Amino acid sequence: MKKVVVILVGIVLLAGVIFTGTYGVSQKNIEVYERAMEMQSIADTIGWADFRIADYPIAVYDGENEYVFTRSKEGYDVNKRAVTMNFLVATAYPVDDHFEVITPSVEQMSSFIGLASADATEYGSVEHSVTLWHEAFHCYQLTNYMEAIKNICPEEIEENTITLHADTNKGAVDLFKRQAELLEAAVKSEDIDRIRAYVVEYKELEEERNALLDEKIIHTEEYYERVEGGAYYVEALMHGEMNPEKFQNDYIGGISEFSNGSSKYYRTGMAQYMIMDVLNPGWKANYDFSEPVMELIYEELEI
């Protein structure tokens, strides 16, 4: 349990960011929560029939306290409590015997991203609603598939593992960049034969790249692609229903974008989920996160 929780707290959207806020639970945060609940109909089309955001409390941090939204017969309740964590992230977090989404307020997130983003990317209620779904999916993963997720990485993951090792290996970086390009091309293709050709080349490069990396690094990458890639996939599909242009430009068009650290695996993991959707639309009905998605793709294409 400790290993997985540390992983999630360390790698989500605002990993490790400390940010002081002065907001209460505003009407805007209430609207974000209600919007997220209304998006369940989108999630119902994704493929995990028992994934419901309403199953997980959502705690909004206002700078001093947390305001916890939970579903009730009347709709939902909001209860004030002391702060669960002493730093701010959007994350899935264990509280008593269950997992909850814990997030800064939409105002805090917007302020921070506005300060941190070079292109002043807008972060508003739609983006925050999608963030809630991303973290709710982690709650779903950890609630239902904890053992499979823990088994991906036999050793505890440290956040700087990728930056210190995989990202400093020029040969591995060059191969990864080409693999990401192949995944993006496969996602954009509608022709199975072309997808197969991209995947054949991807597998050849994977074997070459794995020979350059320690097994622990390979397992770490698998974790990010399988677990974070799944949450990013949910986030992308949610966003796609509300902003198709952003979906195409930022999510699909960003698959091959390279960056140091773990975020690149969110994108390549998402791409793998999307490729499997083309090859076998019903595949997630039996998926328990115990196998790499690329292995399922190889099996579908008999490679």
Side-chain angles (χ1 to χ4, degrees), residues 260-280:
N260 288 333
S262 60
S263 62
K264 58 184 172 290
Y265 305 114
Y266 292 38
R267 299 186 286 273
T268 54
M270 174 197 72
Q272 294 168 19
Y273 278 77
M274 290 179 172
I275 293 168
M276 270 302 296
D277 282 347
V278 174
L279 301 179
N280 181 357

Side-chain angles (χ1 to χ4, degrees), residues 186 189-200 275-281 300-301 303:
S189 178
E190 297 180 357
D191 183 89
I192 297 298
D193 290 335
R194 290 178 65 85
I195 292 173
R196 190 179 194 282
Y198 295 136
V199 173
V200 167
I275 293 168
M276 270 302 296
D277 282 347
V278 174
L279 301 179
N280 181 357
E300 287 290 333
L301 294 172
I303 295 173

Side-chain angles (χ1 to χ4, degrees), residues 90-146:
T91 187
Y93 200 77
V95 178
D96 298 329
D97 61 349
H98 62 278
F99 286 90
E100 297 184 3
V101 174
I102 299 181
T103 176
S105 68
V106 62
E107 293 92 346
Q108 288 173 315
M109 292 282 271
S110 179
S111 296
F112 177 83
I113 292 175
L115 290 171
S117 176
D119 59 0
T121 301
E122 181 181 353
Y123 185 95
S125 60
V126 170
E127 288 74 21
H128 202 54
S129 296
V130 169
T131 295
L132 299 187
W133 275 96
H134 180 119
E135 301 306 336
F137 191 70
H138 284 317
C139 290
Y140 170 78
Q141 290 171 317
L142 294 171
T143 299
N144 295 283
Y145 304 105
M146 173 69 82

Side-chain angles (χ1 to χ4, degrees), residues 24-85:
V25 60
S26 67
Q27 181 62 32
K28 192 171 184 179
N29 284 283
I30 293 171
E31 291 171 358
V32 165
Y33 177 81
E34 291 176 346
R35 180 195 294 270
M37 295 303 110
E38 292 169 357
M39 292 165 66
Q40 182 64 51
S41 60
I42 304 172
D44 290 342
T45 68
I46 292 178
W48 283 284
D50 55 346
F51 171 40
R52 298 186 56 80
I53 193 171
D55 290 342
Y56 309 104
I58 295 176
V60 177
Y61 176 69
D62 74 344
E64 297 180 355
N65 301 286
E66 288 175 359
Y67 296 86
V68 185
F69 291 74
T70 53
R71 302 304 292 176
S72 66
K73 292 181 179 179
E74 292 73 26
Y76 62 89
D77 298 321
V78 183
N79 294 292
K80 180 179 174 181
R81 75 179 179 200
V83 175
T84 305
M85 302 185 302

Side-chain angles (χ1 to χ4, degrees), residues 129-298:
S129 296
V130 169
T131 295
L132 299 187
W133 275 96
H134 180 119
E135 301 306 336
F137 191 70
H138 284 317
C139 290
Y140 170 78
Q141 290 171 317
L142 294 171
T143 299
N144 295 283
Y145 304 105
M146 173 69 82
E147 287 306 311
I149 289 171
K150 287 169 62 178
N151 289 335
I152 298 172
C153 300
E155 300 179 57
E156 184 169 331
I157 293 176
E158 296 178 3
E159 177 61 19
N160 63 355
T161 297
I162 294 298
T163 304
L164 292 178
H165 299 283
D167 291 342
T168 58
N169 186 320
K170 185 179 184 304
V173 168
D174 291 343
L175 290 168
F176 180 88
K177 288 179 178 178
R178 177 56 185 158
Q179 286 180 295
E181 290 172 354
L182 291 167
L183 290 176
E184 183 171 323
V187 169
K188 292 178 176 179
S189 178
E190 297 180 357
D191 183 89
I192 297 298
D193 290 335
R194 290 178 65 85
I195 292 173
R196 190 179 194 282
Y198 295 136
V199 173
V200 167
E201 183 178 351
Y202 179 98
K203 186 175 183 181
E204 293 171 352
L205 296 177
E206 179 182 62
E207 293 170 356
E208 183 179 351
R209 185 170 182 273
N210 283 352
L212 302 175
L213 298 172
D214 182 84
E215 188 174 9
K216 179 180 179 180
I217 304 301
I218 295 171
H219 290 318
T220 302
E221 293 181 329
E222 288 177 352
Y223 169 84
Y224 286 125
E225 288 193 324
R226 208 180 311 177
V227 179
E228 287 293 349
Y232 196 65
Y233 162 84
V234 170
E235 172 188 326
L237 295 185
M238 290 293 186
H239 224 141
E241 288 293 320
M242 295 178 290
N243 190 335
E245 183 177 358
K246 182 178 180 66
F247 173 76
Q248 289 297 329
N249 293 340
D250 294 357
Y251 290 95
I252 304 303
I255 292 171
S256 61
E257 178 183 341
F258 184 86
S259 57
N260 288 333
S262 60
S263 62
K264 58 184 172 290
Y265 305 114
Y266 292 38
R267 299 186 286 273
T268 54
M270 174 197 72
Q272 294 168 19
Y273 278 77
M274 290 179 172
I275 293 168
M276 270 302 296
D277 282 347
V278 174
L279 301 179
N280 181 357
W283 71 282
K284 291 187 291 294
N286 299 311
Y287 186 59
D288 62 1
F289 301 93
S290 63
E291 294 183 76
V293 180
M294 280 309 303
E295 291 299 325
L296 300 181
I297 292 173
Y298 298 152

